[in-house]
Amino acid sequence: MSSRYFTEEHELFRQSLKDFLQKEVVPHIEKWEETGHIERFIWKKFGDMGFFGLAYPEAYGGMNLDLFYTVILLEELQKINSAGFSAAIWAHAYLAMTHVNKEGDHDIKEKYLTPSISGDKIGCLCITEPFGGSDVAGMRTTAVKQGDSYVINGSKTFITNGVYSDYLVVAAKTNPELGNKGISIFIMDRNTPGISATKLDKLGWRASDTGEIAFDNVTIPASNLMGEENKGFPYIMQHFALERLIMGINAHARAEYALDYAKQYMSERHAFGKSIDKFQALRHSFADCYADMMMCKEFNYAIADRLDKGDYVVKEATISKLRSTKMADEVIYQCLQFLGGYGYMEEYPMARLLRDSRLGPIGGGTSEILREIIAKMVLDNKDYKPAT
């Protein structure tokens, strides 16, 4: 463990989190993977333990801790072999709640952030659309001001917690003719008339509910606008750095989990009179995988440290996600190979891990989009400035 970033308090937190996950979460994972529905009791237990409040202000029930507590939460969530469960947790705690915390006023935080931290309310972040995908600026969902209200029409897709959450943070165009300069961020309750959701059937992330959401003349109070009107795009871009780093950290952690499992398996599996970790072909392949994982892990820690200190790390976080998700897919593919026929069996963890990992280069900005962002920043000297 890299002691440069982790104190003894961090390690105590990691151990208590590990114990909690083994006792409270792991016994239910298979059921949730099968049903695609994470039961409410576990959200409350996470809230009671303070896990949703790690990065949030004490005024709303949070702990205001450094980012490495979040790193630990993310890493350990990857090591119980349900990226769907993990995604549901972090999409609530770091996608929906980040916007509520950064853009919401005091009343909105009292109504949504406090119960989100306590585990009484679950949130989702609705940006991606059926026709737009990665093209955030091309979104078609509109919010039209009518007196003291906004009327929302449109649709969103691939939304984690999109079916069972209690509230939605929604990006919509308040000035469609302004393109990406006409987007605003709103918050609304799930039970607002006109909101409907359909559950999507996915290759992996089976435990999480991923939804396609329709907004049909959804009328909300004007006070549900978060932050300034037409500032939504810079708000979204600002938080993408954290989201991408989260997905980079998740990737190195699941690759590490795969390697730990493969190492144990290879030491116990015998062929031709010796354990298979004694065959050079497998040893060297393992060494390559381990080296690639460590490069990403140390890079991700360094960027987390800079983000925690307030540096603007859009480029580095983009690199983190691009490289770490590719690495995780390759490492897990190879670790499945180490298990031979057992790697292909659902009762062994590698099959699910392979399926779950494959979303890495797609969700939260495809690798193709990430390469273009890096190219723009490096070749065209483009600066994605934070919202003021």
Side-chain angles (χ1 to χ4, degrees):
M1 192 50 61
S2 190
S3 57
R4 180 179 168 195
Y5 305 112
F6 298 99
T7 63
E8 195 178 339
E9 285 77 19
H10 285 116
E11 294 309 334
L12 288 169
F13 171 71
R14 189 187 291 275
Q15 196 51 55
S16 71
L17 172 61
K18 274 183 171 172
D19 295 344
F20 172 85
L21 292 173
Q22 286 303 319
K23 180 168 173 270
E24 304 290 352
V25 178
V26 169
H28 306 285
I29 286 293
E30 295 310 317
K31 177 168 62 168
W32 297 337
E33 282 281 326
E34 211 170 294
T35 61
H37 186 194
I38 297 159
E39 292 160 286
R40 288 303 288 236
F41 73 82
I42 198 65
W43 296 88
K44 188 60 189 151
K45 285 189 176 178
F46 264 76
D48 291 344
M49 291 294 288
F51 296 146
F52 291 137
L54 300 177
Y56 293 102
E58 291 175 35
Y60 301 99
M63 296 183 179
N64 201 27
L65 295 165
D66 68 70
L67 194 57
F68 280 92
Y69 284 92
T70 291
V71 170
I72 291 166
L73 177 67
L74 297 169
E75 287 182 329
E76 295 306 323
L77 279 169
Q78 290 298 311
K79 298 183 178 184
I80 55 172
N81 205 24
S82 174
F85 176 79
S86 162
I89 296 295
W90 64 255
H92 165 63
Y94 297 102
L95 301 189
M97 284 169 62
T98 295
H99 280 274
V100 177
N101 183 50
K102 292 284 204 250
E103 286 108 57
D105 60 24
H106 175 67
D107 290 345
I108 283 175
K109 286 180 190 174
E110 289 269 288
K111 187 177 175 188
Y112 295 101
L113 188 60
T114 301
S116 292
I117 289 170
S118 66
D120 292 300
K121 279 187 180 175
I122 305 168
C124 67
L125 177 63
C126 308
I127 297 175
T128 303
E129 298 194 353
F131 302 102
S134 299
D135 180 11
V136 175
M139 71 173 58
R140 301 181 185 182
T141 300
T142 57
V144 178
K145 186 95 182 271
Q146 290 185 359
D148 288 339
S149 303
Y150 282 95
V151 180
I152 319 282
N153 280 285
S155 59
K156 301 287 177 181
T157 197
F158 309 141
I159 309 304
T160 303
N161 298 339
V163 180
Y164 300 123
S165 57
D166 302 295
Y167 68 89
L168 305 86
V169 176
V170 180
K173 283 202 169 154
T174 31
N175 279 85
E177 67 283 356
L178 295 179
N180 69 5
K181 293 182 174 64
I183 295 171
S184 302
I185 305 283
F186 300 90
I187 194 162
M188 58 199 74
D189 291 317
R190 162 76 53 187
N191 59 11
T192 310
I195 298 177
S196 58
T198 310
K199 197 171 186 176
L200 301 170
D201 188 14
K202 313 185 294 293
L203 171 69
W205 283 28
R206 303 290 298 176
S208 69
D209 60 292
T210 306
E212 183 155 331
I213 304 173
F215 302 90
D216 181 13
N217 287 321
V218 177
T219 305
I220 56 169
S223 57
N224 284 28
L225 170 73
M226 294 207 297
E228 290 179 50
E229 196 175 71
N230 299 329
K231 278 279 182 78
F233 191 71
Y235 293 146
I236 293 165
M237 291 297 129
Q238 196 169 330
H239 305 325
F240 269 167
L242 176 62
E243 181 181 356
R244 285 170 187 157
L245 184 59
I246 284 171
M247 294 193 75
I249 290 164
N250 288 341
H252 85 233
R254 68 176 167 270
E256 188 169 40
Y257 170 70
L259 286 162
D260 286 345
Y261 187 90
K263 178 184 173 185
Q264 182 71 25
Y265 178 89
M266 290 161 73
S267 73
E268 295 168 357
R269 177 74 170 170
H270 283 73
F272 306 103
K274 56 185 174 181
S275 60
I276 64 171
D277 61 0
K278 297 292 185 278
F279 290 100
Q280 190 182 62
L282 302 185
R283 292 166 68 81
H284 288 189
S285 179
F286 186 96
D288 277 336
C289 289
Y290 182 82
D292 290 343
M293 181 276 294
M294 284 300 293
M295 291 283 282
C296 289
K297 181 176 172 177
E298 288 297 328
F299 179 81
N300 292 343
Y301 285 169
I303 303 314
D305 190 43
R306 285 183 53 192
L307 182 62
D308 201 34
K309 290 183 167 77
D311 285 6
Y312 193 63
V313 294
V314 165
K315 180 173 68 180
E316 293 81 357
T318 304
I319 291 169
S320 161
K321 182 180 184 297
L322 175 67
R323 277 290 180 253
S324 303
T325 56
K326 182 173 189 283
M327 175 278 297
D329 276 359
E330 290 169 353
V331 166
I332 291 164
Y333 186 95
Q334 185 55 54
C335 285
L336 190 149
Q337 188 73 19
F338 291 143
L339 270 66
Y342 292 107
Y344 206 64
M345 296 296 120
E346 285 291 345
E347 68 199 84
Y348 284 74
M350 226 52 87
R352 180 187 299 156
L353 206 51
L354 183 82
R355 284 185 283 111
D356 283 353
S357 184
R358 188 60 186 84
L359 188 66
I362 298 170
T366 64
S367 292
E368 291 73 21
I369 293 286
L370 301 185
R371 289 187 190 101
E372 184 55 24
I373 288 167
I374 295 164
K376 278 180 176 167
M377 293 186 86
V378 178
L379 297 175
D380 306 338
N381 300 313
K382 184 168 171 55
D383 210 351
Y384 291 94
K385 272 294 173 216
T388 46

